[in-house]
PDB file of all heavy atoms in Angstrom:
ATOM      1  N   ILE B 666      47.883  65.457  43.186  1.00  0.00           N
ATOM      2  CA  ILE B 666      47.948  66.916  43.257  1.00  0.00           C
ATOM      3  C   ILE B 666      49.454  67.353  43.413  1.00  0.00           C
ATOM      4  O   ILE B 666      49.747  68.485  43.212  1.00  0.00           O
ATOM      5  CB  ILE B 666      47.113  67.530  44.356  1.00  0.00           C
ATOM      6  CG1 ILE B 666      47.418  66.819  45.748  1.00  0.00           C
ATOM      7  CG2 ILE B 666      45.590  67.354  44.063  1.00  0.00           C
ATOM      8  CD1 ILE B 666      46.627  67.515  46.839  1.00  0.00           C
ATOM      9  N   ARG B 667      50.344  66.451  43.746  1.00  0.00           N
ATOM     10  CA  ARG B 667      51.726  66.839  43.836  1.00  0.00           C
ATOM     11  C   ARG B 667      52.229  67.115  42.492  1.00  0.00           C
ATOM     12  O   ARG B 667      53.336  67.692  42.333  1.00  0.00           O
ATOM     13  CB  ARG B 667      52.510  65.690  44.601  1.00  0.00           C
ATOM     14  CG  ARG B 667      52.367  65.674  46.004  1.00  0.00           C
ATOM     15  CD  ARG B 667      52.896  64.451  46.648  1.00  0.00           C
ATOM     16  NE  ARG B 667      52.304  63.255  46.091  1.00  0.00           N
ATOM     17  CZ  ARG B 667      52.457  62.037  46.682  1.00  0.00           C
ATOM     18  NH1 ARG B 667      53.233  61.930  47.722  1.00  0.00           N
ATOM     19  NH2 ARG B 667      51.825  60.954  46.188  1.00  0.00           N
ATOM     20  N   LEU B 668      51.602  66.599  41.370  1.00  0.00           N
ATOM     21  CA  LEU B 668      52.061  66.773  40.070  1.00  0.00           C
ATOM     22  C   LEU B 668      51.287  67.787  39.311  1.00  0.00           C
ATOM     23  O   LEU B 668      51.084  67.818  38.084  1.00  0.00           O
ATOM     24  CB  LEU B 668      52.108  65.438  39.284  1.00  0.00           C
ATOM     25  CG  LEU B 668      53.038  64.405  39.950  1.00  0.00           C
ATOM     26  CD1 LEU B 668      52.860  63.111  39.205  1.00  0.00           C
ATOM     27  CD2 LEU B 668      54.436  64.807  39.911  1.00  0.00           C
ATOM     28  N   MET B 669      50.691  68.748  40.089  1.00  0.00           N
ATOM     29  CA  MET B 669      49.872  69.746  39.451  1.00  0.00           C
ATOM     30  C   MET B 669      50.431  71.203  39.849  1.00  0.00           C
ATOM     31  O   MET B 669      51.652  71.223  40.212  1.00  0.00           O
ATOM     32  CB  MET B 669      48.439  69.671  39.853  1.00  0.00           C
ATOM     33  CG  MET B 669      47.780  68.376  39.458  1.00  0.00           C
ATOM     34  SD  MET B 669      46.087  68.207  40.001  1.00  0.00           S
ATOM     35  CE  MET B 669      45.738  66.505  39.460  1.00  0.00           C
ATOM     36  N   GLY B 670      49.621  72.167  39.879  1.00  0.00           N
ATOM     37  CA  GLY B 670      50.106  73.464  40.356  1.00  0.00           C
ATOM     38  C   GLY B 670      49.954  74.512  39.283  1.00  0.00           C
ATOM     39  O   GLY B 670      50.147  74.275  38.040  1.00  0.00           O
ATOM     40  N   ASN B 671      49.528  75.673  39.727  1.00  0.00           N
ATOM     41  CA  ASN B 671      49.392  76.864  38.914  1.00  0.00           C
ATOM     42  C   ASN B 671      48.658  76.632  37.625  1.00  0.00           C
ATOM     43  O   ASN B 671      48.990  77.076  36.461  1.00  0.00           O
ATOM     44  CB  ASN B 671      50.858  77.295  38.503  1.00  0.00           C
ATOM     45  CG  ASN B 671      50.856  78.811  38.118  1.00  0.00           C
ATOM     46  OD1 ASN B 671      49.886  79.553  38.506  1.00  0.00           O
ATOM     47  ND2 ASN B 671      51.866  79.185  37.285  1.00  0.00           N
ATOM     48  N   LEU B 672      47.494  75.931  37.736  1.00  0.00           N
ATOM     49  CA  LEU B 672      46.776  75.582  36.547  1.00  0.00           C
ATOM     50  C   LEU B 672      45.640  76.702  36.280  1.00  0.00           C
ATOM     51  O   LEU B 672      44.939  76.539  35.278  1.00  0.00           O
ATOM     52  CB  LEU B 672      46.112  74.237  36.673  1.00  0.00           C
ATOM     53  CG  LEU B 672      47.103  73.057  36.681  1.00  0.00           C
ATOM     54  CD1 LEU B 672      46.274  71.789  37.025  1.00  0.00           C
ATOM     55  CD2 LEU B 672      47.706  72.980  35.239  1.00  0.00           C
ATOM     56  N   ARG B 673      45.509  77.682  37.120  1.00  0.00           N
ATOM     57  CA  ARG B 673      44.324  78.477  37.067  1.00  0.00           C
ATOM     58  C   ARG B 673      44.186  79.281  35.821  1.00  0.00           C
ATOM     59  O   ARG B 673      43.071  79.493  35.266  1.00  0.00           O
ATOM     60  CB  ARG B 673      44.215  79.432  38.260  1.00  0.00           C
ATOM     61  CG  ARG B 673      45.284  80.451  38.432  1.00  0.00           C
ATOM     62  CD  ARG B 673      45.064  81.265  39.715  1.00  0.00           C
ATOM     63  NE  ARG B 673      46.047  82.301  39.840  1.00  0.00           N
ATOM     64  CZ  ARG B 673      47.348  82.107  40.288  1.00  0.00           C
ATOM     65  NH1 ARG B 673      47.719  80.902  40.507  1.00  0.00           N
ATOM     66  NH2 ARG B 673      48.156  83.051  40.440  1.00  0.00           N
ATOM     67  N   HIS B 674      45.309  79.637  35.108  1.00  0.00           N
ATOM     68  CA  HIS B 674      45.200  80.294  33.867  1.00  0.00           C
ATOM     69  C   HIS B 674      45.028  79.356  32.685  1.00  0.00           C
ATOM     70  O   HIS B 674      44.502  79.836  31.610  1.00  0.00           O
ATOM     71  CB  HIS B 674      46.417  81.187  33.602  1.00  0.00           C
ATOM     72  CG  HIS B 674      46.618  82.186  34.772  1.00  0.00           C
ATOM     73  ND1 HIS B 674      45.702  83.139  35.085  1.00  0.00           N
ATOM     74  CD2 HIS B 674      47.618  82.344  35.707  1.00  0.00           C
ATOM     75  CE1 HIS B 674      46.081  83.748  36.198  1.00  0.00           C
ATOM     76  NE2 HIS B 674      47.261  83.299  36.534  1.00  0.00           N
ATOM     77  N   LYS B 675      45.450  78.170  32.854  1.00  0.00           N
ATOM     78  CA  LYS B 675      45.432  77.274  31.682  1.00  0.00           C
ATOM     79  C   LYS B 675      44.036  76.587  31.467  1.00  0.00           C
ATOM     80  O   LYS B 675      43.601  76.335  30.358  1.00  0.00           O
ATOM     81  CB  LYS B 675      46.484  76.201  31.843  1.00  0.00           C
ATOM     82  CG  LYS B 675      47.825  76.690  32.010  1.00  0.00           C
ATOM     83  CD  LYS B 675      48.937  75.771  31.569  1.00  0.00           C
ATOM     84  CE  LYS B 675      50.261  76.384  31.492  1.00  0.00           C
ATOM     85  NZ  LYS B 675      51.146  76.189  32.744  1.00  0.00           N
ATOM     86  N   ILE B 676      43.302  76.386  32.607  1.00  0.00           N
ATOM     87  CA  ILE B 676      41.957  75.873  32.495  1.00  0.00           C
ATOM     88  C   ILE B 676      41.093  76.700  33.327  1.00  0.00           C
ATOM     89  O   ILE B 676      40.587  76.329  34.388  1.00  0.00           O
ATOM     90  CB  ILE B 676      41.965  74.349  32.995  1.00  0.00           C
ATOM     91  CG1 ILE B 676      42.792  74.064  34.227  1.00  0.00           C
ATOM     92  CG2 ILE B 676      42.468  73.427  31.932  1.00  0.00           C
ATOM     93  CD1 ILE B 676      42.669  72.765  34.794  1.00  0.00           C
ATOM     94  N   PRO B 677      40.790  77.928  32.795  1.00  0.00           N
ATOM     95  CA  PRO B 677      40.122  78.907  33.681  1.00  0.00           C
ATOM     96  C   PRO B 677      38.653  78.504  34.045  1.00  0.00           C
ATOM     97  O   PRO B 677      38.267  78.804  35.106  1.00  0.00           O
ATOM     98  CB  PRO B 677      40.085  80.157  32.748  1.00  0.00           C
ATOM     99  CG  PRO B 677      40.259  79.687  31.368  1.00  0.00           C
ATOM    100  CD  PRO B 677      41.091  78.427  31.464  1.00  0.00           C
ATOM    101  N   ILE B 678      37.955  77.913  33.162  1.00  0.00           N
ATOM    102  CA  ILE B 678      36.571  77.596  33.508  1.00  0.00           C
ATOM    103  C   ILE B 678      36.559  76.542  34.645  1.00  0.00           C
ATOM    104  O   ILE B 678      35.866  76.577  35.639  1.00  0.00           O
ATOM    105  CB  ILE B 678      35.771  77.109  32.276  1.00  0.00           C
ATOM    106  CG1 ILE B 678      35.752  78.142  31.162  1.00  0.00           C
ATOM    107  CG2 ILE B 678      34.346  76.666  32.639  1.00  0.00           C
ATOM    108  CD1 ILE B 678      35.135  77.702  29.896  1.00  0.00           C
ATOM    109  N   THR B 679      37.437  75.559  34.441  1.00  0.00           N
ATOM    110  CA  THR B 679      37.471  74.481  35.469  1.00  0.00           C
ATOM    111  C   THR B 679      37.915  75.108  36.781  1.00  0.00           C
ATOM    112  O   THR B 679      37.366  74.833  37.794  1.00  0.00           O
ATOM    113  CB  THR B 679      38.587  73.462  35.043  1.00  0.00           C
ATOM    114  OG1 THR B 679      38.193  72.980  33.730  1.00  0.00           O
ATOM    115  CG2 THR B 679      38.651  72.302  36.037  1.00  0.00           C
ATOM    116  N   TYR B 680      38.894  76.038  36.747  1.00  0.00           N
ATOM    117  CA  TYR B 680      39.326  76.692  37.908  1.00  0.00           C
ATOM    118  C   TYR B 680      38.202  77.481  38.608  1.00  0.00           C
ATOM    119  O   TYR B 680      37.991  77.234  39.854  1.00  0.00           O
ATOM    120  CB  TYR B 680      40.499  77.630  37.560  1.00  0.00           C
ATOM    121  CG  TYR B 680      40.761  78.625  38.720  1.00  0.00           C
ATOM    122  CD1 TYR B 680      41.232  78.229  39.970  1.00  0.00           C
ATOM    123  CD2 TYR B 680      40.597  79.974  38.474  1.00  0.00           C
ATOM    124  CE1 TYR B 680      41.418  79.162  40.974  1.00  0.00           C
ATOM    125  CE2 TYR B 680      40.795  80.936  39.446  1.00  0.00           C
ATOM    126  CZ  TYR B 680      41.253  80.539  40.689  1.00  0.00           C
ATOM    127  OH  TYR B 680      41.462  81.393  41.751  1.00  0.00           O
ATOM    128  N   LYS B 681      37.581  78.272  37.875  1.00  0.00           N
ATOM    129  CA  LYS B 681      36.526  79.142  38.443  1.00  0.00           C
ATOM    130  C   LYS B 681      35.385  78.229  39.141  1.00  0.00           C
ATOM    131  O   LYS B 681      34.878  78.550  40.227  1.00  0.00           O
ATOM    132  CB  LYS B 681      35.919  80.103  37.509  1.00  0.00           C
ATOM    133  CG  LYS B 681      36.832  81.250  37.311  1.00  0.00           C
ATOM    134  CD  LYS B 681      36.296  82.151  36.129  1.00  0.00           C
ATOM    135  CE  LYS B 681      37.440  83.020  35.612  1.00  0.00           C
ATOM    136  NZ  LYS B 681      37.254  83.364  34.176  1.00  0.00           N
ATOM    137  N   THR B 682      34.900  77.261  38.284  1.00  0.00           N
ATOM    138  CA  THR B 682      33.843  76.468  38.875  1.00  0.00           C
ATOM    139  C   THR B 682      34.296  75.678  40.045  1.00  0.00           C
ATOM    140  O   THR B 682      33.593  75.431  41.092  1.00  0.00           O
ATOM    141  CB  THR B 682      33.327  75.475  37.723  1.00  0.00           C
ATOM    142  OG1 THR B 682      34.426  74.790  37.172  1.00  0.00           O
ATOM    143  CG2 THR B 682      32.600  76.347  36.624  1.00  0.00           C
ATOM    144  N   PHE B 683      35.557  75.145  39.980  1.00  0.00           N
ATOM    145  CA  PHE B 683      36.055  74.370  41.090  1.00  0.00           C
ATOM    146  C   PHE B 683      36.104  75.202  42.369  1.00  0.00           C
ATOM    147  O   PHE B 683      35.827  74.773  43.467  1.00  0.00           O
ATOM    148  CB  PHE B 683      37.443  73.791  40.792  1.00  0.00           C
ATOM    149  CG  PHE B 683      37.904  72.669  41.626  1.00  0.00           C
ATOM    150  CD1 PHE B 683      37.618  71.308  41.296  1.00  0.00           C
ATOM    151  CD2 PHE B 683      38.650  72.884  42.762  1.00  0.00           C
ATOM    152  CE1 PHE B 683      38.015  70.302  42.044  1.00  0.00           C
ATOM    153  CE2 PHE B 683      38.997  71.799  43.570  1.00  0.00           C
ATOM    154  CZ  PHE B 683      38.750  70.523  43.245  1.00  0.00           C
ATOM    155  N   LEU B 684      36.531  76.483  42.154  1.00  0.00           N
ATOM    156  CA  LEU B 684      36.716  77.363  43.314  1.00  0.00           C
ATOM    157  C   LEU B 684      35.332  77.575  43.982  1.00  0.00           C
ATOM    158  O   LEU B 684      35.136  77.620  45.137  1.00  0.00           O
ATOM    159  CB  LEU B 684      37.334  78.685  42.898  1.00  0.00           C
ATOM    160  CG  LEU B 684      37.616  79.614  44.021  1.00  0.00           C
ATOM    161  CD1 LEU B 684      38.627  79.034  44.920  1.00  0.00           C
ATOM    162  CD2 LEU B 684      38.161  80.960  43.497  1.00  0.00           C
ATOM    163  N   ILE B 685      34.307  77.802  43.062  1.00  0.00           N
ATOM    164  CA  ILE B 685      32.981  78.054  43.500  1.00  0.00           C
ATOM    165  C   ILE B 685      32.507  76.859  44.460  1.00  0.00           C
ATOM    166  O   ILE B 685      32.016  77.028  45.556  1.00  0.00           O
ATOM    167  CB  ILE B 685      31.960  78.272  42.387  1.00  0.00           C
ATOM    168  CG1 ILE B 685      32.253  79.651  41.787  1.00  0.00           C
ATOM    169  CG2 ILE B 685      30.502  78.094  42.849  1.00  0.00           C
ATOM    170  CD1 ILE B 685      31.506  79.918  40.520  1.00  0.00           C
ATOM    171  N   ALA B 686      32.739  75.653  43.928  1.00  0.00           N
ATOM    172  CA  ALA B 686      32.336  74.429  44.637  1.00  0.00           C
ATOM    173  C   ALA B 686      33.028  74.453  45.945  1.00  0.00           C
ATOM    174  O   ALA B 686      32.516  74.051  46.959  1.00  0.00           O
ATOM    175  CB  ALA B 686      32.550  73.183  43.820  1.00  0.00           C
ATOM    176  N   THR B 687      34.312  74.767  45.960  1.00  0.00           N
ATOM    177  CA  THR B 687      35.103  74.620  47.175  1.00  0.00           C
ATOM    178  C   THR B 687      34.584  75.733  48.208  1.00  0.00           C
ATOM    179  O   THR B 687      34.573  75.360  49.426  1.00  0.00           O
ATOM    180  CB  THR B 687      36.651  74.938  46.800  1.00  0.00           C
ATOM    181  OG1 THR B 687      37.078  74.010  45.783  1.00  0.00           O
ATOM    182  CG2 THR B 687      37.490  74.659  48.112  1.00  0.00           C
ATOM    183  N   LEU B 688      34.366  76.871  47.730  1.00  0.00           N
ATOM    184  CA  LEU B 688      33.739  77.896  48.698  1.00  0.00           C
ATOM    185  C   LEU B 688      32.369  77.385  49.243  1.00  0.00           C
ATOM    186  O   LEU B 688      32.017  77.541  50.432  1.00  0.00           O
ATOM    187  CB  LEU B 688      33.485  79.224  47.918  1.00  0.00           C
ATOM    188  CG  LEU B 688      34.842  79.925  47.622  1.00  0.00           C
ATOM    189  CD1 LEU B 688      34.514  81.034  46.611  1.00  0.00           C
ATOM    190  CD2 LEU B 688      35.357  80.449  48.894  1.00  0.00           C
ATOM    191  N   ALA B 689      31.591  76.626  48.369  1.00  0.00           N
ATOM    192  CA  ALA B 689      30.332  76.133  48.803  1.00  0.00           C
ATOM    193  C   ALA B 689      30.575  75.070  49.871  1.00  0.00           C
ATOM    194  O   ALA B 689      29.929  75.115  50.951  1.00  0.00           O
ATOM    195  CB  ALA B 689      29.603  75.513  47.661  1.00  0.00           C
ATOM    196  N   ILE B 690      31.502  74.103  49.672  1.00  0.00           N
ATOM    197  CA  ILE B 690      31.676  73.035  50.605  1.00  0.00           C
ATOM    198  C   ILE B 690      32.250  73.558  51.910  1.00  0.00           C
ATOM    199  O   ILE B 690      31.950  73.107  53.012  1.00  0.00           O
ATOM    200  CB  ILE B 690      32.486  71.860  50.033  1.00  0.00           C
ATOM    201  CG1 ILE B 690      32.364  70.719  50.952  1.00  0.00           C
ATOM    202  CG2 ILE B 690      33.942  72.224  49.828  1.00  0.00           C
ATOM    203  CD1 ILE B 690      33.108  69.465  50.408  1.00  0.00           C
TER     204      ILE B 690
END
Side-chain angles (χ1 to χ4, degrees):
Chain B
I666 56 174
R667 285 169 298 192
L668 299 175
M669 299 177 185
N671 204 22
L672 291 173
R673 62 185 183 282
H674 303 300
K675 301 204 171 99
I676 43 174
I678 301 177
T679 306
Y680 162 65
K681 281 175 200 150
T682 51
F683 197 90
L684 185 64
I685 289 172
T687 308
L688 288 166
I690 193 175

